[in-house]
């Protein structure tokens, strides 16, 4: 019998949390994923959605897991100061980042946001967390049958995409990313090749993108192009614009499915099993 391999979305919004009546169905929390592969637990990003995830993890038996960051813009790290397991020494959390383009480290960034006058509790209180670095393109070392490959993405300050492979199935997370870098664009179809699930940054439409070129985000139309080029089974639109209402996401989802049957729009609580 195959072991569990799943991805759960705890935050799907981009830039800033957006609570309110117009975002109830898709959710307003920012980037956070939970991946289960057999007995392994891996989290990707620690946006505002990580607060609720942390509460649930504290009620589970798992005490050792990895936390991978796509990058360290605020919407992807703002949940860490409120992530309950990070303060509990009975947990062992290895936090990884591989997007930096200089000598900056993950602990440097976390220490900056968790220091007065920005935040009253210092990063040194995260007793459960060990910070590690890699270079985008490396494979994250593991011995449990879960393979984690990485790739460089195009985003201000850098970003890292992930591919998770387990028992013949695969999940890719491609956010935050802007199409247009020839080298990265040429590499991505092979990186996502034949993926069962591909999370993709679709913050804008092609029409909107003309105004926001250079901001580091892509479009749902580019998600369709990449899914076709890489023969992706289920592409999932992610990193929703904070101005985007549920009804507007419904319309984008319909247009995307007409262009690529099987396309999904990410929502809080969504569980995907390849």
């Amino acid at each position: 019998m195959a072991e569990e391999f799943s991805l759960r979305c705890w935050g799907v919004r981009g830039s800033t949390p957006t609570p309110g009546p117009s975002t109830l169905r898709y959710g307003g929390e920012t980037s956070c994923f939970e991946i289960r592969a057999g007995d392994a637990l891996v989290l990707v990003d620690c946006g505002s959605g990580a607060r609720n995830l942390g509460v649930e993890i504290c009620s589970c038996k798992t005490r050792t897991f990895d936390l991978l960051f796509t990058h360290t813009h605020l919407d992807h790290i703002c949940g860490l100061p409120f992530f309950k397991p990070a303060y509990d020494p009975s947990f062992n959390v290895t936090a990884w980042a591989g997007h930096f383009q200089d000598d900056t480290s993950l602990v440097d960034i976390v220490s900056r946001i968790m220091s007065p006058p920005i935040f009253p509790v210092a990063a040194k209180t995260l007793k459960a967390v060990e910070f590690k670095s890699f270079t985008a393109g490396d494979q994250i070392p593991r011995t449990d049958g879960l393979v984690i490959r990485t790739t460089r993405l195009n985003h201000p300050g850098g970003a890292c995409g992930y591919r998770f492979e387990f028992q013949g199935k695969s999940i890719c997370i491609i956010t935050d990313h802007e199409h247009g870098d020839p080298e990265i664009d040429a590499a991505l179809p092979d990186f996502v090749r034949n993926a069962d699930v591909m999370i993709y940054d679709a913050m804008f439409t092609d029409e909107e993108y003309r105004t926001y070129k250079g901001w580091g985000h892509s479009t749902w139309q580019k998600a369709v192009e990449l899914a076709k080029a890489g023969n992706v089974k289920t592409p999932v639109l992610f990193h929703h614009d904070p101005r985007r209402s549920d009804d507007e996401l419904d319309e984008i989802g319909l247009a995307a499915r007409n262009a690529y049957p099987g396309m999904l729009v990410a929502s809080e609580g969504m569980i995907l099993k390849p």
Side-chain angles (χ1 to χ4, degrees):
M1 179 181 292
E3 296 181 88
E4 177 186 3
F5 186 35
S6 65
L7 177 147
R8 182 173 179 179
C9 300
W10 287 85
V12 300
R13 192 67 52 169
S15 301
T16 184
T18 56
S22 67
T23 61
L24 291 176
R25 284 188 284 112
Y26 289 95
E29 303 281 17
T30 63
S31 183
C32 182
F33 298 101
E34 172 191 2
I35 291 177
R36 299 276 179 174
D39 294 329
L41 170 62
V42 178
L43 312 185
V44 179
D45 281 342
C46 208
S48 64
R51 184 181 63 85
N52 288 328
L53 172 55
V55 172
E56 178 157 310
I57 288 176
C58 284
S59 66
C60 299
K61 293 181 180 179
T62 303
R63 283 293 184 268
T64 299
F65 58 89
D66 289 280
L67 169 57
L68 312 179
F69 287 91
T70 59
H71 65 306
T72 48
H73 284 162
L74 190 58
D75 52 327
H76 294 253
I77 64 173
C78 63
L80 185 57
F82 306 96
F83 185 60
K84 192 173 180 182
Y87 297 91
D88 185 342
S90 71
F91 283 91
N92 293 291
V93 183
T94 305
W96 299 85
H99 67 286
F100 294 115
Q101 299 170 332
D102 54 25
D103 293 332
T104 303
S105 69
L106 182 55
V107 69
D108 292 337
I109 300 299
V110 174
S111 296
R112 285 167 65 181
I113 67 165
M114 295 185 67
S115 61
I118 301 171
F119 197 75
V121 179
K124 65 182 180 181
T125 61
L126 303 176
K127 301 295 187 182
V129 184
E130 178 184 7
F131 295 94
K132 291 189 175 183
S133 298
F134 64 93
T135 299
D138 292 349
Q139 183 170 317
I140 305 295
R142 299 186 70 87
T143 59
D144 56 4
L146 174 64
V147 175
I148 305 178
R149 306 185 192 279
T150 73
T151 193
R152 189 165 59 95
L153 300 178
N154 183 32
H155 193 66
C160 182
Y162 294 96
R163 181 183 177 109
F164 301 87
E165 300 172 351
F166 187 69
Q167 296 188 342
K169 300 290 187 177
S170 56
I171 296 171
C172 293
I173 296 177
I174 308 298
T175 191
D176 290 15
H177 169 65
E178 180 173 358
H179 56 282
D181 181 295
E183 183 179 349
I184 293 175
D185 287 350
L188 274 182
D190 282 338
F191 187 76
V192 303
R193 181 79 58 200
N194 299 322
D196 293 284
V197 173
M198 180 186 73
I199 303 291
Y200 187 81
D201 180 346
M203 188 166 181
F204 302 124
T205 65
D206 276 355
E207 183 178 3
E208 293 167 342
Y209 176 72
R210 291 195 290 268
T211 301
Y212 298 104
K213 186 175 181 179
W215 284 43
H217 298 286
S218 193
T219 72
W220 70 259
Q221 289 95 337
K222 289 297 180 182
V224 169
E225 287 184 22
L226 181 57
K228 289 180 178 178
N231 192 37
V232 173
K233 182 177 179 182
T234 304
V236 185
L237 306 181
F238 177 76
H239 204 279
H240 308 317
D241 191 311
R243 301 165 298 177
R244 197 85 70 201
S245 69
D246 288 335
D247 290 344
E248 289 170 328
L249 286 173
D250 284 343
E251 293 177 6
I252 286 174
L254 179 59
R257 284 189 295 276
N258 286 336
Y260 196 100
M263 180 81 74
L264 299 176
V265 180
S267 61
E268 263 177 55
M270 174 183 280
I271 297 175
L272 299 165
K273 296 182 178 182

